[in-house]
Amino acid sequence: NELSVTSTGASSVTDRNWDNTWQVGAAYAQKLGGTSYYTLGISYESSPVKDELRTFDFPVDAMWKLSAGYGWSGGKKLDFAVGATLYLLGDAPVDQTAQRVRAAGKFDTNYSLMMGGTLRYVF
């Protein structure tokens, strides 16, 4: 459910008809010599909503995630790591009727790339 509150203080609740999801994944980590390593991962998460109940304002579908990372340790003083995850978010077909107007279609396959890193230095 979604709770919305307007600037006038009025509120409404929208039932999203979402179900529980399930997820499965696998990861691999490999040490490269004594000071560095890399990681790889893949996972799948099922869609939280049936196609016929999906809405245009929040078109969530099943999701694949592909991840990779690299880390290096310079002993007791310095280390860093970088990583990225590519989210493949599906095409999210929608068939919605609101105020007696029907809108149907699907989105282009959605992608999202998240990148990050850490740097640690001990003084």
Side-chain angles (χ1 to χ4, degrees), residues 24-108:
V24 63
Y28 177 78
Q30 176 68 47
K31 204 169 194 181
L32 301 170
T35 61
S36 62
Y37 62 92
Y38 71 92
T39 60
L40 300 170
I42 185 170
S43 70
Y44 172 82
E45 184 173 356
S46 65
S47 178
V49 64
K50 294 177 181 77
D51 288 354
E52 63 271 11
L53 299 174
R54 188 172 292 116
T55 59
F56 277 104
D57 62 337
F58 200 49
V60 179
D61 201 353
M63 180 182 351
W64 283 93
K65 294 182 232 175
L66 306 170
S67 300
Y70 174 80
W72 175 82
S73 177
K76 296 180 181 179
K77 290 276 188 189
L78 176 70
D79 55 21
F80 75 88
V82 293
T85 299
L86 176 63
Y87 294 83
L88 308 171
L89 302 167
D91 57 7
V94 178
D95 190 348
Q96 181 180 5
T97 301
Q99 299 176 347
R100 296 183 304 209
V101 176
R102 180 176 178 241
K106 66 179 183 175
F107 293 85
D108 290 338

Side-chain angles (χ1 to χ4, degrees), residues 18-31:
W18 281 20
D19 296 322
N20 292 330
T21 62
W22 58 270
Q23 183 176 15
V24 63
Y28 177 78
Q30 176 68 47
K31 204 169 194 181

